[in-house]
Amino acid sequence: MAAPTMDRTAAGAPAAVQTLTIAKALNNGLRAAMEADPKVVVMGEDVGKLGGVFRITDGLQKDFGEQRVLDTPLAESGIIGTAVGLAIRGYRPVCEIQFDGFVFPGFDQIVSQVAKLHYRTQGRIKLPMVIRIPFGGGIGAVEHHSESPESYFAHTAGLKVVACSNPADAYWMIQQAIDCDDPVLFFEPKRRYYEKGQVDTTAAPGPLFGSRVLRTGTDVTLVTYGPMVRTSLDAAAAAEEEGRSLEVVDLRSLSPLDLAPVYESVRRTGRLVVVTEAPGESSISSEIAAKVQQECFYSLQAPVLRVTGFDTPYPPSKLEEEFLPDLDRVLHAVDRSLAW
Amino acid sequence: MSSPEEWTHPGPGAPPATGAAPTAEQVIAGLRATDEGGADLVQLLTPEGERVQHPDFDIDVTAEELRGLYRDMVLVRRVDREANALQRKGQLGIWVPLLGQEAAQIGSGRALRPTDMAFPSYREHGVAWCRGIKPTDLLGIFRGTDHGTWDPVEHRFHPYTIVIGNQVLNAAGYAMGQKFDGAVGDADGEATICYFGDGATSQGDVHEGFVWAAVYDAPLVFFCQNNQWAISEPTERQSRLPLYQRARGYGFPGIRVDGNDVLATLAVTRWALEECRQGNGPVLIEAFTYRMDAHTTSDDPSRYRLSDELELWKLKDPIERVKVHLVKQQWADQGFFDSIEEEAERVAVELRDYCVNLPDPPAGRIFSEVYAEGNPVLEAQRDEFLAYHAGFAGGDH
């Protein structure tokens, strides 16, 4: 199937540049993708009349009908497994999983079928489907509502995994993910849903699977993604007041990883701190640390340090502020790196 | 079809709730359960080759059509036996036999139209034959040279799915797509059929597939081949109810057909597909049959079932009853049967030659088509690997 072109604007957008929350940017992005291609269908629990538990799909069923925005039965394997069949039939399904910890009932379909059908058939079956997962903590939720399961999927060949961190990326990346002929796991930073930013609906977006330097600096490189991008930018601003210059790279794509800008940055700064809220053991942060020491060994002035969630189940919400990396933990790691 | 009042709870012959080995009484009770299909069993051709009538599912079959069904079954059995032998000779890593299930697969497979879609598990070699797939195309999976070489789009026959029950949801989604496309609603409509076994009915994906197909009125025929054993576990370990009766709980019809009767299977599947084409939603067919060989060539059924059971089911052989009927009707002579045997032998020789000459794939196949749009990290890994390979003397590793 030919991918629709990307030179389109949000439905009814009165101006090219709008100030939007991430939630609204995602809503506008989904709407633009649905208008551009009648084969795009949105499916999941409560995505229709309710507009999704976070209202990301608000108003879409009203405008596109019940056949394009499917309120599904309550079963994640069913949502993903039927999306596979719809994709084989020529549709481009966008599945919503309500919360990170609920993706696991669908894990089998994702890793056994979604990831492997293209390879199994040597390209005769394409699965242009997106699985949207609001992820991460910081919202005071009960168990299973605050997890960061992205490493499971980055570990599985055949899947592509991305995480947006701001409204402009949310708007464009969701459309690019829908246009992609590969299955994409699309992670949304739920604690940042209502943070605002400018979205230019006419400026051509960068590549979906590319990382981006958000702030330049000379002393230490911070690499991060999703909800920890805001934390890392805040840490860099605070460090500047102390006379330290931090460079911040937003990975955006977790599989494939675009580490070339990270290598280039580390070769200049000599120091790297990886910031994620996922547990660090056998994770994306491990992968980055391994690759950077492999590629930048002679440039490193200090070992690669990581600031991550702990290797525990996600704690009760009264403890999550202790679990989640914050500005102070990032700055502490920066201090340790510089003291080496 | 029986009423709920006729549903019975497990009697003394039911398997124990614990993981203890079944007692002799329980094994014998299980034997009885597999022997009788029950009063609701749809049958048009008895094991003795007698044609019988059914009030709801009769069918007119010409002599030529019946000879064709016989030919199909003989050829796929020969393919199956040859592949089994190839595994024993070390030419295939594993084989999944279909012996005994020829009528269930040919009867249902021949009910399909080219525009219909089929989702198999991994034992549906007979259905593959009906979809125009060469038996040689089945070998790559079991020899380890590929994960399937037929074109699922061209043949409308999905790749074999090895994870139990996954394909049922995929089929439900495809059938939803047929409905959304407006491809149902009249006699020219499309339908989807999905194959799975009695063991798969315990999987969550099959339950979810039933739910999805029901609530979206998807044109999907669930075709359960109840071959009585899920490796070593009897059907009694999967369900307290006859499997076809489960459909009622989801709100669509369930029918038990004699899966060793190619005519009954053809008739019931045609009816079910027509229900789907007309937009009347899904149907569950339980083809009551028997796996006359092992689950796979790695299995040893002598450890868990009685030889008497096999001997009993041999009397219900799906091919022999058609042969007897053809003879009784004088629809075929010895020359016909001989010609089919000769054709089967040619197919077997072709399969054997193809198998032993099937080349190993090039090393680059490891990396081939993982993604539709590429992945620079993986491509770098592939290039490094191929350069490493090229460094060996003699090159072509």
Side-chain angles (χ1 to χ4, degrees):
Chain A
M1 185 182 297
T5 56
M6 294 302 304
D7 57 344
R8 58 179 184 244
T9 58
V17 179
Q18 300 169 289
T19 301
L20 300 173
T21 62
I22 288 179
K24 184 61 179 169
L26 286 166
N27 181 273
N28 285 359
L30 285 166
R31 178 178 292 277
M34 294 184 78
E35 285 180 345
D37 183 352
K39 289 295 188 183
V40 175
V41 294
V42 168
M43 56 197 292
E45 299 154 18
D46 308 309
V47 297
K49 287 192 176 68
L50 182 66
V53 289
F54 290 105
R55 313 291 185 265
I56 305 302
T57 56
D58 189 31
L60 297 179
Q61 190 182 65
K62 177 173 164 288
D63 294 338
F64 293 98
E66 293 187 359
Q67 198 164 290
R68 301 229 14 227
V69 181
L70 282 75
D71 271 324
T72 67
L74 199 164
E76 286 75 13
S77 192
I79 293 167
I80 294 160
T82 54
V84 169
L86 282 163
I88 293 168
R89 180 71 188 180
Y91 288 84
R92 300 180 92 86
V94 183
C95 305
E96 176 173 301
I97 302 297
Q98 290 195 332
F99 288 90
D100 34 62
F102 301 161
V103 72
F104 300 113
F107 192 81
D108 175 25
Q109 282 286 343
I110 297 174
V111 300
S112 303
Q113 305 306 324
V114 175
K116 297 191 174 81
L117 266 167
H118 192 268
Y119 187 68
R120 187 177 301 145
T121 63
Q122 286 294 281
R124 293 185 179 105
I125 289 180
K126 288 184 172 56
L127 292 180
M129 56 187 281
V130 175
I131 301 170
R132 293 181 38 240
I133 304 175
F135 82 124
I139 62 165
V142 295
E143 200 182 4
H144 309 296
H145 290 67
S146 304
E147 300 179 10
S148 299
E150 57 272 19
S151 293
Y152 293 108
F153 303 105
H155 189 68
T156 300
L159 303 174
K160 289 180 172 170
V161 185
V162 301
C164 61
S165 68
N166 60 72
D169 273 355
Y171 175 76
W172 284 114
M173 285 171 71
I174 188 64
Q175 295 179 68
Q176 291 173 307
I178 293 168
D179 281 339
C180 180
D181 274 344
D182 286 308
V184 178
L185 277 288
F186 193 92
F187 283 89
E188 300 168 4
K190 69 166 90 79
R191 68 192 281 199
R192 311 292 186 200
Y193 266 150
Y194 305 109
E195 293 183 5
K196 290 183 178 176
Q198 288 199 325
V199 179
D200 186 338
T201 57
T202 56
L208 175 61
F209 301 109
S211 56
R212 185 184 298 148
V213 177
L214 293 184
R215 180 187 176 110
T216 56
T218 54
D219 296 337
V220 178
T221 303
L222 302 183
V223 170
T224 186
Y225 58 87
M228 282 294 121
V229 170
R230 168 53 50 203
T231 305
S232 299
L233 286 171
D234 289 348
E240 189 175 26
E241 293 175 8
E242 299 172 359
R244 286 171 175 171
S245 170
L246 306 188
E247 183 146 311
V248 179
V249 182
D250 181 358
L251 283 172
R252 300 173 80 252
S253 175
L254 311 182
S255 179
L257 280 169
D258 174 25
L259 292 181
V262 179
Y263 301 151
E264 195 274 331
S265 177
V266 170
R267 287 183 185 119
R268 282 190 290 102
T269 64
R271 291 179 168 83
L272 177 66
V273 175
V274 188
V275 184
T276 77
E277 65 177 79
E281 191 83 3
S282 304
S283 67
I284 286 166
S285 62
S286 315
E287 179 67 16
I288 295 165
K291 284 196 166 145
V292 167
Q293 69 82 21
Q294 195 172 304
E295 294 297 321
C296 306
F297 186 74
Y298 289 109
S299 302
L300 285 167
Q301 305 296 313
V304 176
L305 299 179
R306 293 186 289 158
V307 182
T308 71
F310 301 113
D311 297 316
T312 67
Y314 198 84
S317 60
K318 293 295 185 190
L319 291 171
E320 68 180 340
E321 294 307 322
E322 304 292 334
F323 177 92
L324 294 168
D326 61 8
L327 184 146
D328 288 335
R329 275 176 63 193
V330 175
L331 291 178
H332 180 60
V334 167
D335 288 345
R336 287 171 57 212
S337 179
L338 285 166
W340 213 273
Chain B
M1 221 171 289
S2 62
S3 66
E5 290 71 39
E6 294 173 290
W7 294 356
T8 54
H9 289 287
T18 66
T23 65
E25 282 180 353
Q26 286 160 346
V27 169
I28 292 165
L31 187 64
R32 282 199 300 272
T34 59
D35 178 20
E36 296 294 337
D40 293 336
L41 188 78
V42 178
Q43 189 179 70
L44 297 180
L45 194 60
T46 70
E48 295 75 30
E50 295 293 339
R51 189 76 164 77
V52 291
Q53 305 302 311
H54 190 281
D56 299 322
F57 297 104
D58 208 7
I59 190 171
D60 285 325
V61 179
T62 66
E64 186 182 356
E65 285 170 334
L66 193 60
R67 285 195 298 266
L69 294 168
Y70 175 83
R71 170 179 174 269
D72 287 337
M73 290 197 290
V74 169
L75 295 190
V76 299
R77 176 172 288 188
R78 187 71 184 88
V79 166
D80 179 72
R81 293 299 83 195
E82 188 62 31
N84 210 64
L86 284 165
Q87 194 281 332
R88 295 301 187 219
K89 291 173 182 168
Q91 295 294 337
L92 294 177
I94 195 170
W95 179 250
V96 187
L98 70 64
L99 189 69
Q101 299 180 223
E102 296 87 350
Q105 296 193 15
I106 297 300
S108 60
R110 287 299 180 206
L112 296 168
R113 294 181 188 164
T115 49
D116 294 329
M117 182 70 190
F119 285 78
S121 62
Y122 44 69
R123 198 187 297 280
E124 276 68 67
H125 320 313
V127 186
W129 169 265
C130 294
R131 300 307 280 169
I133 291 164
K134 291 181 294 186
T136 48
D137 266 338
L138 303 172
L139 293 175
I141 304 167
F142 300 105
R143 194 170 164 85
T145 55
D146 224 310
H147 292 324
T149 49
W150 64 86
D151 186 332
V153 179
E154 177 192 343
H155 292 283
R156 296 205 177 215
F157 187 74
H158 193 67
Y160 277 0
T161 299
I162 295 175
V163 179
I164 303 296
N166 272 182
Q167 78 280 6
V168 178
L169 277 170
N170 306 156
Y174 189 91
M176 287 164 64
Q178 288 175 315
K179 183 162 189 215
F180 294 166
D181 289 346
V184 296
D186 57 38
D188 295 328
E190 291 183 28
T192 293
I193 192 167
C194 181
Y195 292 86
F196 53 95
D198 41 300
T201 63
S202 297
Q203 284 278 3
D205 275 9
V206 176
H207 161 70
E208 292 176 33
F210 287 169
V211 171
W212 250 259
V215 302
Y216 290 105
D217 284 327
L220 178 56
V221 176
F222 296 101
F223 196 92
C224 175
Q225 290 174 85
N226 176 2
N227 66 16
Q228 313 301 330
W229 293 94
I231 307 189
S232 71
E233 303 291 354
T235 313
E236 289 76 12
R237 277 274 187 229
Q238 318 297 338
S239 180
R240 290 171 70 158
L241 273 179
L243 297 176
Y244 73 99
Q245 291 184 4
R246 288 185 169 187
R248 182 174 305 164
Y250 297 91
F252 52 81
I255 298 154
R256 174 178 274 185
V257 65
D258 182 346
N260 284 21
D261 175 351
V262 73
L263 289 184
T265 310
L266 179 66
V268 167
T269 312
R270 271 186 188 163
W271 172 82
L273 289 165
E274 185 60 21
E275 283 288 289
C276 289
R277 291 186 216 296
Q278 296 289 354
N280 296 332
V283 176
L284 169 64
I285 297 173
E286 178 192 357
F288 198 77
T289 182
Y290 190 73
R291 190 190 79 213
M292 292 175 74
D293 202 346
H295 164 66
T296 71
T297 45
S298 300
D299 176 30
D300 177 8
S302 72
R303 284 172 173 254
Y304 56 83
R305 68 187 189 191
L306 300 174
S307 57
D308 283 359
E309 185 180 304
L310 176 62
E311 294 307 313
L312 188 140
W313 276 90
K314 280 182 181 173
L315 300 175
K316 300 167 182 285
D317 189 288
I319 298 179
E320 287 305 310
R321 72 175 73 179
V322 175
K323 187 174 186 178
V324 170
H325 185 67
L326 285 170
V327 170
K328 282 183 178 173
Q329 294 291 104
Q330 297 186 317
W331 281 358
D333 57 16
Q334 191 58 42
F336 167 76
F337 295 118
D338 290 346
S339 72
I340 298 296
E341 289 302 321
E342 287 164 17
E343 185 181 5
E345 196 54 33
R346 286 197 301 276
V347 171
V349 168
E350 184 184 340
L351 193 80
R352 189 158 63 237
D353 289 349
Y354 184 90
C355 182
V356 298
N357 292 310
L358 196 53
D360 288 349
R365 169 64 179 81
I366 294 172
F367 299 91
S368 170
E369 299 291 348
V370 179
Y371 295 93
E373 295 188 359
N375 175 328
V377 175
L378 184 64
E379 282 149 21
Q381 190 175 75
R382 176 199 60 200
D383 293 346
E384 188 178 345
F385 170 79
L386 293 178
Y388 165 77
H389 253 261
F392 284 97
D396 186 25
H397 283 267

